[in-house]
């Protein structure tokens, strides 16, 4: 079977143009991303049902579902530190295989504490695969191909938000909550099979750095004002995204909208435009610069948050489209920037960025969950807007790496 590594290695040998087999490579990268993180947000589509099943508040259930981001933050940082010593293919393969275990156990979680712990375990496995793939792409892609490769990976992430939520809602509605998790465990194993047949063993590129340890390299990255700003932007992006798409579920199922479970699943076709627009994030950022690209994306997201305060379904759905397009576009552009701006040990840089990104998601869940329970959706939306504004301010510190 054709090998993804071969296509990417060719790119390194031909630095003046894009690599051959770009379409195949992008497809495999996107599918790998999809099968890696499909568990992350799919469960949000059944949040109201899980809330009733465990008899808890929206904030408590939202925190439990998004506890995976805590595991992802830890795993991203640890994998980033150990990245120079980890075989990329083996690490991704083991991560996706092990991911199926906590995913399937969620079907029989007896209480919210166990459910939360299993979601953390899912996050540990998802992020190790995610971080190793990003490091792999940063090392094996040429400068010209890097933006497209990262965009393809983030696009797979976007697709997982749409298709994963649709699948989750459909399976839970037709067969019950337990079968939902068994089905996603099967998808995890499918991802491992894909990696087995498409990525050959590639030795990690050891950082050409004078740093004595990963910790010293981490400090170097944090002293870089461009990278430090990018880490902060990642934190704010997932803070805003999680705050929006976790708690809007409860708005959609309550009066005056009053959507059912399957209707709630179909709502997530709002992510369909993001699948298309995210593919162009790398090219747009390369053409106009990372700052204008990210500012434009954040502006779209802010407009979307404003529309989501409306009482009509069309307004809310339009707002969700804009938030999805804006946050994913900004995420793709920022991820590409980190890969290109890093001069030493991309594994540590990617791991640090992802740790900040996922910590932002966990913080957004914890903070905005309490805001939603105590003050309602309008106050929650204000919190999302503050996060987007903070990201826009941090973007001033980004400068083109070209």
């Amino acid at each position: 079977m054709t090998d993804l590594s071969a296509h990417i290695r060719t790119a390194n040998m031909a630095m003046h143009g894009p690599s051959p087999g770009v379409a195949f490579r992008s497809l495999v990268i996107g599918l790998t991303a999809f099968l890696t993180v499909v568990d992350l947000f799919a469960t949000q589509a059944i949040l109201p049902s899980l809330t009733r099943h465990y008899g808890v508040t929206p904030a408590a259930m939202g925190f439990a579902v998004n506890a995976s981001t805590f595991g992802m933050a830890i795993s991203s940082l640890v994998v980033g530190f150990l990245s120079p010593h980890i075989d990329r293919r083996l690490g991704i393969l083991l991560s996706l295989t092990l991911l199926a275990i906590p995913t399937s156990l969620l079907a029989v979680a007896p209480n919210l504490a166990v459910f939360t712990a299993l979601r953390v375990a899912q996050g540990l496995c998802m992020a190790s695969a995610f971080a190793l793939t990003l490091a792999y792409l940063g090392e094996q892609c040429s400068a010209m191909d890097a933006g497209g490769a990262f965009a393809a990976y983030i696009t797979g992430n976007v697709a997982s938000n749409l298709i994963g939520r649709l699948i989750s809602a459909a399976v839970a509605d037709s067969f019950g909550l337990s079968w939902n998790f068994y089905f996603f465990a099967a998808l995890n194993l499918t991802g491992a099979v894909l990696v087995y047949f498409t990525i050959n063993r590639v030795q990690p590129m050891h950082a050409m750095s004078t740093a004595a340890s990963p910790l010293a390299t981490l400090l170097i990255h944090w002293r870089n004002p461009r990278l430090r700003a990018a880490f902060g932007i990642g934190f704010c992006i997932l803070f805003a995204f999680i705050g929006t798409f976790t708690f809007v579920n409860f708005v959609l199922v309550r009066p005056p909208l009053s959507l059912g479970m399957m209707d709630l699943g179909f709502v997530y076709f709002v992510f369909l435009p993001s699948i298309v627009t995210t593919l162009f994030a790398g090219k747009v950022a390369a053409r106009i610069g990372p700052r204008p690209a990210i500012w434009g994306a954040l502006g779209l997201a802010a407009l979307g948050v404003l529309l989501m305060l409306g009482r009509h379904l069309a307004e809310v759905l339009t707002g969700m489209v804009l938030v999805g397009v804006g946050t994913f576009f900004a995420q793709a552009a920022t991820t590409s920037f980190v890969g290109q701006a890093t001069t030493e040990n991309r594994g540590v840089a990617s791991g640090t960025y992802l740790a900040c990104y996922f910590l932002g998601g966990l913080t957004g869940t914890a903070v905005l969950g309490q805001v939603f329970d105590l003050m309602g959706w309008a106050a929650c939306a204000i919190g999302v807007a503050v996060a987007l504004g903070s990201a826009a301010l941090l973007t001033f510190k980004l400068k083109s790496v070209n």
Side-chain angles (χ1 to χ4, degrees), residues 79-266:
V79 171
F81 277 10
L82 301 178
S83 181
H85 310 290
I86 300 175
D87 176 81
R88 305 300 188 226
R89 178 179 182 270
L90 181 61
I92 300 168
L93 188 61
L94 285 176
S95 297
L96 291 175
T97 302
L98 292 174
L99 175 57
I101 298 174
T103 303
S104 59
L105 289 176
L106 281 168
V108 293
N111 53 53
L112 195 63
V114 174
F115 186 97
T116 304
L118 289 172
R119 286 292 285 174
V120 172
Q122 277 188 307
L124 292 170
C125 297
M126 280 189 280
S128 59
F130 197 97
L132 287 172
T133 304
L134 286 181
Y136 175 87
L137 295 177
E139 293 166 351
Q140 302 300 318
C141 289
S142 69
M144 180 169 289
D145 280 342
F150 285 119
Y153 196 70
I154 301 302
T155 300
N157 186 352
V158 179
S160 74
N161 274 266
L162 167 59
I163 301 172
R165 291 173 199 255
L166 288 173
I167 292 172
S168 184
V171 173
D173 190 46
S174 301
F175 304 102
L177 292 173
S178 296
W179 279 103
N180 170 75
F181 297 111
Y182 291 136
F183 185 87
F184 279 93
L187 288 181
N188 302 150
L189 295 176
T190 301
V193 171
L194 176 67
V195 170
Y196 181 84
F197 283 107
T198 58
I199 298 181
N200 265 348
R201 186 175 185 273
V202 178
Q203 289 291 344
M205 292 184 176
H206 293 270
M208 298 177 65
S209 169
T210 57
S213 68
L215 180 59
T217 304
L218 175 65
L219 293 176
I220 290 173
H221 291 329
W222 275 104
R223 292 190 189 108
N224 184 329
R226 295 187 304 175
L227 288 178
R228 193 165 60 242
F231 298 157
I233 293 169
F235 180 96
C236 292
I237 288 173
L238 197 60
F239 184 105
F241 180 88
I242 289 246
T244 301
F245 288 101
T246 296
F247 300 107
V248 74
N249 289 286
F250 298 100
V251 176
L252 291 169
V253 299
R254 293 173 180 174
L257 301 178
S258 303
L259 299 183
M261 182 180 291
M262 277 308 302
D263 292 329
L264 188 61
F266 284 119

